[in-house]
Amino acid sequence: MSDASELLAANAAYYRAFAGGDFAAMSRIWAEDGVSCVHPGWPALIGRGAILESYRGILHGMNRVRIAHRDDTAIVMGDDGRVLCVEIVEGAALAATNCYRRVDGAWRMVHHQASPIAAAAEEPETPPPGRRLN
Amino acid sequence: MSDASELLAANAAYYRAFAGGDFAAMSRIWAEDGVSCVHPGWPALIGRGAILESYRGILHGMNRVRIAHRDDTAIVMGDDGRVLCVEIVEGAALAATNCYRRVDGAWRMVHHQASPIAAAAEEPETPPPGRRLN
């Protein structure tokens, strides 16, 4: 696979872990160092401990979050990768940025931020193919 | 200056250009390639053309945006840098992520995203010193 394909696959794995409530997978996805996360409406979380604690709460909450992603665009510069996509969370559209670093050949997440898009959006029945930039 | 100090200085320069409506400085701050931007409530903008057009509209708008930043935290991994900070825009607090890449010795912005923080915040009279990681 190309760098961009691998990055898009890593991004899909993030949303699979999220949608499936798979905390073990989520902790493997996040890198060890230099990590930050901004959940919608939250202040920034910095450091793996605070971030994983937030995901534990979200993934193990009473109500599983319905989340999907679409319009993934990958930007790769060496071992630094970024995916911009639209998250559909409980029917609402969010603009999400997922930053990755390639560590020992695997793309690990180093930053996540999702913020509400003002315009309403409908979840498509089949997601369009991801775009790739390089 | 250390890498983190240079990165924090680049971040301060971004907000100086923003607050001063300095479009020429803003276009020097943004990198040439691999750039993305999510303004509050907007979908992602990808590519230098779309991003600079958005800043032209924001900076040259009828009403200058009152913007300040505080609680800057720098994360540096090689030539990849990220600053998390709180933006105060017209009195409202936003969680901002500014990603930079070091190009020819200068930190250039490759990604910006700001999203509203649910809790209200007051603008401090004097910004606290930036925190540094790494």
Side-chain angles (χ1 to χ4, degrees), chain A residues 10 15 23 27 35 60 66 68 84 87 95 101 110 113:
Chain A
Y15 286 104
F23 180 75
S27 24
V35 291
H60 291 179
R66 281 194 309 122
L84 287 295
E87 288 182 2
R101 185 180 313 120
V110 292
Q113 183 165 6

PDB file of all heavy atoms in Angstrom, chain A residues 10 15 23 27 35 60 66 68 84 87 95 101 110 113:
ATOM      1  N   ALA A  10      -5.278   3.438   8.686  1.00  0.00           N
ATOM      2  CA  ALA A  10      -5.120   3.723  10.118  1.00  0.00           C
ATOM      3  C   ALA A  10      -6.279   4.573  10.618  1.00  0.00           C
ATOM      4  O   ALA A  10      -6.806   4.367  11.723  1.00  0.00           O
ATOM      5  CB  ALA A  10      -3.789   4.430  10.374  1.00  0.00           C
ATOM      6  N   TYR A  15     -11.737   4.877  13.727  1.00  0.00           N
ATOM      7  CA  TYR A  15     -13.199   4.981  13.837  1.00  0.00           C
ATOM      8  C   TYR A  15     -13.835   3.629  14.119  1.00  0.00           C
ATOM      9  O   TYR A  15     -14.887   3.549  14.771  1.00  0.00           O
ATOM     10  CB  TYR A  15     -13.787   5.661  12.591  1.00  0.00           C
ATOM     11  CG  TYR A  15     -13.496   7.141  12.639  1.00  0.00           C
ATOM     12  CD1 TYR A  15     -12.505   7.706  11.844  1.00  0.00           C
ATOM     13  CD2 TYR A  15     -14.156   7.963  13.544  1.00  0.00           C
ATOM     14  CE1 TYR A  15     -12.193   9.056  11.933  1.00  0.00           C
ATOM     15  CE2 TYR A  15     -13.854   9.313  13.642  1.00  0.00           C
ATOM     16  CZ  TYR A  15     -12.877   9.853  12.843  1.00  0.00           C
ATOM     17  OH  TYR A  15     -12.559  11.188  12.948  1.00  0.00           O
ATOM     18  N   PHE A  23     -11.527  -0.280  23.616  1.00  0.00           N
ATOM     19  CA  PHE A  23     -10.531   0.540  24.299  1.00  0.00           C
ATOM     20  C   PHE A  23      -9.113   0.008  24.086  1.00  0.00           C
ATOM     21  O   PHE A  23      -8.169   0.790  23.944  1.00  0.00           O
ATOM     22  CB  PHE A  23     -10.843   0.630  25.797  1.00  0.00           C
ATOM     23  CG  PHE A  23      -9.844   1.460  26.542  1.00  0.00           C
ATOM     24  CD1 PHE A  23      -9.854   2.849  26.432  1.00  0.00           C
ATOM     25  CD2 PHE A  23      -8.875   0.871  27.343  1.00  0.00           C
ATOM     26  CE1 PHE A  23      -8.916   3.628  27.102  1.00  0.00           C
ATOM     27  CE2 PHE A  23      -7.930   1.650  28.014  1.00  0.00           C
ATOM     28  CZ  PHE A  23      -7.956   3.024  27.888  1.00  0.00           C
ATOM     29  N   SER A  27      -6.074   2.212  22.604  1.00  0.00           N
ATOM     30  CA  SER A  27      -4.790   2.534  23.250  1.00  0.00           C
ATOM     31  C   SER A  27      -3.600   2.134  22.396  1.00  0.00           C
ATOM     32  O   SER A  27      -2.558   2.771  22.499  1.00  0.00           O
ATOM     33  CB  SER A  27      -4.627   1.955  24.646  1.00  0.00           C
ATOM     34  OG  SER A  27      -5.314   0.925  24.952  1.00  0.00           O
ATOM     35  N   VAL A  35       1.386  13.614  22.470  1.00  0.00           N
ATOM     36  CA  VAL A  35       0.000  13.465  22.022  1.00  0.00           C
ATOM     37  C   VAL A  35      -0.911  14.537  22.623  1.00  0.00           C
ATOM     38  O   VAL A  35      -0.689  15.010  23.735  1.00  0.00           O
ATOM     39  CB  VAL A  35      -0.547  12.056  22.360  1.00  0.00           C
ATOM     40  CG1 VAL A  35       0.153  10.999  21.515  1.00  0.00           C
ATOM     41  CG2 VAL A  35      -0.376  11.741  23.842  1.00  0.00           C
ATOM     42  N   HIS A  60     -16.644   3.453  27.299  1.00  0.00           N
ATOM     43  CA  HIS A  60     -17.312   2.585  28.265  1.00  0.00           C
ATOM     44  C   HIS A  60     -18.546   3.242  28.865  1.00  0.00           C
ATOM     45  O   HIS A  60     -19.086   2.746  29.848  1.00  0.00           O
ATOM     46  CB  HIS A  60     -16.329   2.187  29.380  1.00  0.00           C
ATOM     47  CG  HIS A  60     -15.250   1.265  28.911  1.00  0.00           C
ATOM     48  ND1 HIS A  60     -14.258   0.802  29.734  1.00  0.00           N
ATOM     49  CD2 HIS A  60     -15.014   0.712  27.697  1.00  0.00           C
ATOM     50  CE1 HIS A  60     -13.440   0.008  29.047  1.00  0.00           C
ATOM     51  NE2 HIS A  60     -13.880  -0.059  27.804  1.00  0.00           N
ATOM     52  N   ARG A  66     -22.812   6.668  18.408  1.00  0.00           N
ATOM     53  CA  ARG A  66     -22.921   6.290  16.995  1.00  0.00           C
ATOM     54  C   ARG A  66     -22.038   7.221  16.193  1.00  0.00           C
ATOM     55  O   ARG A  66     -22.286   8.427  16.147  1.00  0.00           O
ATOM     56  CB  ARG A  66     -24.363   6.404  16.508  1.00  0.00           C
ATOM     57  CG  ARG A  66     -25.240   5.231  16.908  1.00  0.00           C
ATOM     58  CD  ARG A  66     -26.546   5.226  16.108  1.00  0.00           C
ATOM     59  NE  ARG A  66     -27.215   6.512  16.161  1.00  0.00           N
ATOM     60  CZ  ARG A  66     -27.530   7.248  15.105  1.00  0.00           C
ATOM     61  NH1 ARG A  66     -27.234   6.839  13.895  1.00  0.00           N
ATOM     62  NH2 ARG A  66     -28.152   8.411  15.243  1.00  0.00           N
ATOM     63  N   ALA A  68     -19.598   7.773  12.552  1.00  0.00           N
ATOM     64  CA  ALA A  68     -19.166   7.335  11.227  1.00  0.00           C
ATOM     65  C   ALA A  68     -18.248   8.417  10.679  1.00  0.00           C
ATOM     66  O   ALA A  68     -18.151   9.507  11.255  1.00  0.00           O
ATOM     67  CB  ALA A  68     -20.375   7.138  10.316  1.00  0.00           C
ATOM     68  N   LEU A  84      -7.947  14.674   7.267  1.00  0.00           N
ATOM     69  CA  LEU A  84      -9.115  15.516   7.502  1.00  0.00           C
ATOM     70  C   LEU A  84     -10.326  14.707   7.090  1.00  0.00           C
ATOM     71  O   LEU A  84     -10.310  14.077   6.027  1.00  0.00           O
ATOM     72  CB  LEU A  84      -9.067  16.781   6.646  1.00  0.00           C
ATOM     73  CG  LEU A  84      -8.093  17.917   6.977  1.00  0.00           C
ATOM     74  CD1 LEU A  84      -8.428  18.540   8.324  1.00  0.00           C
ATOM     75  CD2 LEU A  84      -6.643  17.525   6.898  1.00  0.00           C
ATOM     76  N   GLU A  87     -16.838  13.738  10.576  1.00  0.00           N
ATOM     77  CA  GLU A  87     -17.419  12.751  11.487  1.00  0.00           C
ATOM     78  C   GLU A  87     -18.923  12.990  11.546  1.00  0.00           C
ATOM     79  O   GLU A  87     -19.368  14.137  11.596  1.00  0.00           O
ATOM     80  CB  GLU A  87     -16.879  12.933  12.911  1.00  0.00           C
ATOM     81  CG  GLU A  87     -15.453  12.523  13.107  1.00  0.00           C
ATOM     82  CD  GLU A  87     -15.011  12.681  14.568  1.00  0.00           C
ATOM     83  OE1 GLU A  87     -15.837  13.080  15.420  1.00  0.00           O
ATOM     84  OE2 GLU A  87     -13.830  12.426  14.838  1.00  0.00           O
ATOM     85  N   ALA A  95     -16.158  18.538  11.853  1.00  0.00           N
ATOM     86  CA  ALA A  95     -14.907  18.550  11.079  1.00  0.00           C
ATOM     87  C   ALA A  95     -13.823  17.975  11.971  1.00  0.00           C
ATOM     88  O   ALA A  95     -13.536  18.517  13.039  1.00  0.00           O
ATOM     89  CB  ALA A  95     -14.554  19.968  10.665  1.00  0.00           C
ATOM     90  N   ARG A 101       1.829   9.959  13.400  1.00  0.00           N
ATOM     91  CA  ARG A 101       3.272   9.880  13.155  1.00  0.00           C
ATOM     92  C   ARG A 101       3.598   8.420  12.885  1.00  0.00           C
ATOM     93  O   ARG A 101       3.061   7.521  13.542  1.00  0.00           O
ATOM     94  CB  ARG A 101       4.063  10.389  14.364  1.00  0.00           C
ATOM     95  CG  ARG A 101       5.573  10.435  14.079  1.00  0.00           C
ATOM     96  CD  ARG A 101       6.364  10.932  15.279  1.00  0.00           C
ATOM     97  NE  ARG A 101       5.741  12.119  15.831  1.00  0.00           N
ATOM     98  CZ  ARG A 101       5.284  12.215  17.077  1.00  0.00           C
ATOM     99  NH1 ARG A 101       5.390  11.213  17.912  1.00  0.00           N
ATOM    100  NH2 ARG A 101       4.719  13.320  17.483  1.00  0.00           N
ATOM    101  N   VAL A 110      -1.267  11.027  16.978  1.00  0.00           N
ATOM    102  CA  VAL A 110      -0.642  11.959  17.917  1.00  0.00           C
ATOM    103  C   VAL A 110      -1.551  13.137  18.256  1.00  0.00           C
ATOM    104  O   VAL A 110      -1.297  13.860  19.223  1.00  0.00           O
ATOM    105  CB  VAL A 110       0.717  12.505  17.395  1.00  0.00           C
ATOM    106  CG1 VAL A 110       1.764  11.386  17.359  1.00  0.00           C
ATOM    107  CG2 VAL A 110       0.574  13.166  16.033  1.00  0.00           C
ATOM    108  N   GLN A 113      -8.765  16.207  16.819  1.00  0.00           N
ATOM    109  CA  GLN A 113      -9.659  17.313  17.182  1.00  0.00           C
ATOM    110  C   GLN A 113     -10.899  17.228  16.314  1.00  0.00           C
ATOM    111  O   GLN A 113     -10.804  17.008  15.098  1.00  0.00           O
ATOM    112  CB  GLN A 113      -8.982  18.679  16.987  1.00  0.00           C
ATOM    113  CG  GLN A 113      -9.857  19.855  17.420  1.00  0.00           C
ATOM    114  CD  GLN A 113      -9.083  21.162  17.572  1.00  0.00           C
ATOM    115  OE1 GLN A 113      -7.902  21.224  17.243  1.00  0.00           O
ATOM    116  NE2 GLN A 113      -9.718  22.189  18.088  1.00  0.00           N
TER     117      GLN A 113
END
